[in-house]
Amino acid sequence: MYQSLLDSNPSLSPVLAEITRVGRYLWHKGWAERNAGNISVRITGILKEATFDRIAAPELPLSNPFPELAGEIFIMTGTGKRMRDIYTDPFNNTLIIHIEKGGTAYRVISHSIDTLGDLRPTSELSSHLNIHLFLRNNRPNSKVVVHTHPGELIALTHHPDLKNEKVINQLIWSMHPEAIVVLPKGVGLVPYTLTGSHSLGVVTLKALENHDVVLWEKHGCLAVGQGVEEAFDLIDVVSKSADIYFKCRQAGFVPEGLTPEQLEQLRRAFGEEEPKTDDC
Ligand code: 2HA
Ligand code: ZN
């Protein structure tokens, strides 16, 4: 079924290829231990209704209903699946779901009952759907959610003094000129919330109102964007800042960081808008 969807929907292959490519980057970065991380893309409109038999597809309940997402289609990584396996075997590690009328169930349109096995949507499905709903309503071109576990970013959120959006963004910006250029609004900071919970999606939404990247305290980070590579790039830049910070600390010195004047010069040279340092 998956292969026939790809054959009859030419725009689907590049999306799947991007997911598998980024899955491989995440593994090589060391950000995807075991089954860590998940990726989803809203692909409604890419799949033609006539190319799949919705009614024949396996139907499964959604633990949290999303009536406003009825009719939407998503491609995503499977729960318990390894990022490093997605590249070599995408058909058994990713799946495509259609949200059913009423939003209380979904159908796996990429697989039949016989081929589905233990393949189920990411354990962070609830967060991802919440975010996709927000993006569709507020930033319709942003169709991608990437969640991963960069050790250097998780380590930052363990520092008691850095559990403050303003402070952590000053640190991130000051470590690397790219950071303020690519993320002039900085990152959002989400207080520790149970993994896989509906609440995690709810608190993440608040942080996404002003940001494209959020740090999940003591867990990882999440980025949204128009493409999977683009979301990956944002996380990569933030991680580089954290990496530089820790390299300096490991070498035994506290990094000087870019000065306020240097940051201001970067904002003026590259910024489209003033970053909100008080409430970002
Ligand atoms: O998919 O990373 O947050 C495993 C996780 C859950
Ligand atoms: Zn995670």
Side-chain angles (χ1 to χ4, degrees):
M1 279 171 88
Y2 213 142
Q3 188 59 58
S4 72
L5 281 183
L6 289 165
D7 292 342
S8 44
N9 296 280
S11 313
L12 180 57
S13 290
V15 180
L16 179 60
E18 210 187 2
I19 292 174
T20 61
R21 219 166 40 239
V22 170
R24 194 168 55 150
Y25 302 161
L26 298 179
W27 163 248
H28 283 299
K29 280 279 189 182
W31 298 350
E33 74 287 352
R34 196 167 169 261
N35 61 322
N38 24 73
I39 302 173
S40 67
V41 185
R42 186 164 65 88
I43 54 168
T44 320
I46 284 185
L47 291 200
K48 295 187 277 299
E49 287 273 342
T51 61
F52 57 89
D53 183 359
R54 222 192 79 244
I55 299 305
E59 187 180 49
L60 293 158
L62 276 172
S63 46
N64 293 97
F66 285 92
E68 292 152 284
L69 287 179
E72 298 283 0
I73 302 173
F74 300 94
I75 185 168
M76 60 185 62
T77 52
T79 184
K81 303 301 181 189
R82 299 181 182 92
M83 284 295 165
R84 64 179 185 266
D85 290 339
I86 286 171
Y87 191 77
T88 47
D89 187 7
F91 296 156
N92 287 310
N93 293 285
T94 67
L95 65 166
I96 301 176
I97 67 167
H98 176 280
I99 309 293
E100 293 295 287
K101 192 157 181 267
T104 54
Y106 63 89
R107 286 182 194 265
V108 184
I109 58 175
S110 52
H111 291 73
S112 65
I113 294 277
D114 294 338
T115 59
L116 186 61
D118 65 353
L119 191 54
R120 298 288 180 278
T122 161
S123 60
E124 300 290 1
L125 180 64
S126 207
S127 285
H128 280 240
L129 291 183
N130 237 324
I131 294 165
H132 280 297
L133 178 59
F134 167 82
L135 292 176
R136 187 195 66 186
N137 294 343
N138 297 284
R139 285 177 238 163
N141 291 332
S142 281
K143 297 182 176 185
V144 167
V145 177
V146 174
H147 162 58
T148 187
H149 294 177
E152 53 274 41
L153 291 182
I154 299 170
L156 275 190
T157 68
H158 276 276
H159 196 310
D161 296 349
L162 297 178
K163 283 185 204 178
N164 172 297
E165 237 171 55
K166 183 177 176 188
V167 175
I168 206 165
N169 275 304
Q170 288 296 348
L171 178 90
I172 289 166
W173 285 329
S174 72
M175 284 300 104
H176 184 33
E178 280 301 282
I180 201 159
V181 173
V182 175
L183 288 157
K185 293 181 189 164
V187 300
L189 184 60
V190 169
Y192 180 80
T193 308
L194 182 68
T195 180
S197 65
H198 189 68
S199 318
L200 181 55
V202 174
V203 285
T204 302
L205 283 194
K206 189 92 202 93
L208 283 174
E209 280 172 15
N210 289 316
H211 305 101
D212 289 327
V213 179
V214 299
L215 305 184
W216 282 352
E217 184 189 327
K218 299 177 192 168
H219 178 160
C221 69
L222 180 141
V224 299
Q226 300 192 13
V228 189
E229 295 260 6
E230 179 200 318
F232 168 84
D233 283 340
L234 298 179
I235 299 172
D236 203 18
V237 168
V238 185
S239 288
K240 174 58 77 70
S241 278
D243 188 43
I244 294 166
Y245 175 71
F246 286 117
K247 277 200 167 85
C248 296
R249 299 299 304 241
Q250 281 156 9
F253 68 95
V254 177
E256 184 178 86
L258 293 157
T259 65
E261 294 72 32
Q262 289 164 340
L263 288 173
E264 194 47 46
Q265 186 188 37
L266 283 162
R267 280 182 200 136
R268 276 200 308 272
F270 299 100
E272 285 166 24
E273 56 190 300
E274 282 287 294
K276 286 191 262 166
T277 47
D278 288 329
D279 59 354
C280 65

